[in-house]
Amino acid sequence: MKILAFESSAKAASVALCDGGFLLAQSYQNTGLTHSATLMKMAEDLLRNTNTKVTDLSLVAVAAGPGSFTGVRIGVAAAVGLAWGADLDICGVSTLEAMAHQVTDADTLICPVMDARRSQVYNALFRRREGEIERLCPDRALSLAELIEDARGRGLPCVLVGDGARLCYDAFLKAGVPVRLAHPALLFQTAWGVAQAALKGERKSPLELIPQYLRLSQAERERLARLRAE
């Protein structure tokens, strides 16, 4: 089953072509360039360079949040447009769950983290059992102190992965929670992780896919504040 996967939930952007669990090709950049100008070009180049036609694909997958509101929207729009035009199913996966697939260690607490601003992180906790990823809690937005206390109570050494990993690392050490960072090549979000999460994800029609932001955007918060003030 050939899967074309998109990841643009934060600063890094990537597109991957996978055959089941096997990575055929991946285009990745973490340069801060606008995803709207780079993501579809990356996908087009990847398909051309692998001599893959859109009709060869079985599924389109995308990181559907949480993450940057703009980044998630760009990735979802790209994936939905491609899937709709090619009459393909789509699978939107949790950005956090996708990152968990990048950690292969057993008997560790896999802790994907993204900087959510406003003194919070986006997080979920996972564990790998017999090669499979087990979810331990839902995706959430919480303070770093709350995350540290939850992780401490799990009684396992922790592996931090994601664009918020370095933000959290020193705080975990200071709190006495055993912790390490994921391998540098796998520290940030990747489309390969999205493809792996999609293998057991729910397939949908492109028009059924809804991004999962966890919080209101800044524009929506400001609008609500104005309405309350009025």
Side-chain angles (χ1 to χ4, degrees):
M1 178 173 70
K2 285 190 176 179
I3 301 173
L4 184 68
F6 294 84
E7 214 319 329
S8 59
S9 63
K11 180 181 176 182
S14 57
V15 181
L17 178 65
C18 296
D19 190 351
F22 183 72
L23 177 64
L24 297 174
Q26 180 167 235
S27 177
Y28 173 95
Q29 63 182 49
N30 191 7
T31 59
L33 294 176
T34 304
H35 298 332
S36 59
T38 59
L39 195 65
M40 282 306 297
K41 182 65 165 58
M42 293 165 69
E44 291 165 1
D45 290 346
L46 184 147
L47 291 174
R48 184 179 64 254
N49 292 339
T50 58
N51 197 28
T52 302
K53 299 176 182 177
V54 173
T55 52
D56 296 331
L57 301 175
S58 303
L59 181 69
V60 177
V62 62
S68 156
F69 290 89
T70 301
V72 169
R73 282 196 294 269
I74 290 171
V76 168
V80 166
L82 190 149
W84 178 256
D87 195 24
L88 291 168
D89 283 343
I90 195 168
C91 180
V93 306
S94 159
T95 309
L96 299 164
E97 183 174 344
M99 285 190 282
H101 283 268
Q102 297 169 198
V103 179
T104 59
D105 309 54
D107 300 319
T108 59
L109 184 66
I110 303 173
C111 184
V113 281
M114 302 177 69
D115 185 0
R117 311 293 182 183
R118 303 177 68 209
S119 302
Q120 287 188 320
V121 294
Y122 294 130
N123 165 261
L125 298 175
F126 302 85
R127 186 175 182 180
R128 189 176 287 277
R129 292 181 184 271
E130 299 179 356
E132 298 293 328
I133 291 293
E134 175 188 1
R135 178 182 281 274
L136 303 179
C137 70
D139 291 358
R140 57 198 179 167
L142 74 173
S143 71
L144 181 52
E146 290 171 324
L147 173 57
I148 288 172
E149 285 309 304
D150 189 359
R152 189 200 309 276
R154 306 279 176 169
L156 289 170
C158 186
V159 179
L160 293 169
V161 60
D163 64 287
R166 291 194 177 99
L167 172 71
C168 300
Y169 180 72
D170 289 343
F172 270 66
L173 286 180
K174 186 176 181 180
V177 178
V179 66
R180 69 173 181 82
L181 296 173
H183 189 281
L186 298 172
L187 186 61
F188 297 104
Q189 294 89 318
T190 70
W192 177 85
V194 172
Q196 301 317 296
L199 286 174
K200 293 190 176 181
E202 181 183 0
R203 298 171 70 128
K204 297 181 177 182
S205 160
L207 297 185
E208 294 179 303
L209 182 60
I210 300 174
Q212 303 297 317
Y213 296 120
L214 292 187
R215 290 191 330 204
L216 295 175
S217 68
Q218 181 176 348
E220 290 170 314
R221 293 195 303 270
E222 290 175 352
R223 176 177 177 274
L224 288 175
R226 287 197 301 269
L227 290 174
R228 293 191 187 102
E230 292 171 358

